[in-house]
Amino acid sequence: MSSYDTIGNFKKGLTQLIILHLLQGGPGFGYDMADHISELSNGKFVLNEGSLYPALYRMEKKGLLTSRTEVVVGKRTRRYYEITEAGRNQLKKDMKEYKQVADGVSAILKG
């Protein structure tokens, strides 16, 4: 596996972790999630549409999320995503793995 593949998988994993974490608080839609992620990270973690929506579709296909559309402001529709029980279980697993990796990297950088 090339370092590009490793970095790409790491980013996908972080994106999944962050989206699942945000959706614990209730349903959300893409633009609002991206804005919230940027705001919470002080602009250090930005998810553009080219990364966010494929992640949402992939997570929905895996059963981690469900979605529904709703008409807002006239004829415009908005797709809301909600975490499933499988998504909550995956979030617990992802949080544990993230902590192990973060602790390991911190130990290496301190050494």
Side-chain angles (χ1 to χ4, degrees), residues 3 22 31 41 45 53 59 76 79 91 98 103 109:
S3 63
L22 282 181
Y31 177 81
S41 70
F45 196 96
Y53 288 102
M59 293 167 66
R76 192 167 147 232
R79 182 171 298 277
L91 176 59
Y98 176 79
D103 290 348
L109 295 177

Side-chain angles (χ1 to χ4, degrees), residues 2-77:
S2 73
S3 63
Y4 175 78
D5 292 338
T6 302
I7 292 168
N9 288 336
F10 185 68
K11 286 182 180 178
K12 282 181 184 179
L14 285 177
T15 299
Q16 176 174 294
L17 172 68
I18 290 168
I19 290 171
L20 290 173
H21 178 74
L22 282 181
L23 292 176
Q24 282 187 113
F29 59 96
Y31 177 81
D32 190 50
M33 282 188 272
D35 193 46
H36 198 59
I37 289 166
S38 179
E39 181 182 310
L40 287 172
S41 70
N42 295 318
K44 290 179 175 55
F45 196 96
V46 177
L47 280 178
N48 59 36
E49 290 180 13
S51 299
L52 177 63
Y53 288 102
L56 289 169
Y57 301 146
R58 186 173 53 253
M59 293 167 66
E60 185 172 19
K61 189 174 180 178
K62 289 169 52 176
L64 305 177
L65 306 176
T66 58
S67 69
R68 64 181 163 76
T69 56
E70 196 173 289
V71 177
V72 293
V73 188
K75 296 181 181 182
R76 192 167 147 232
T77 60

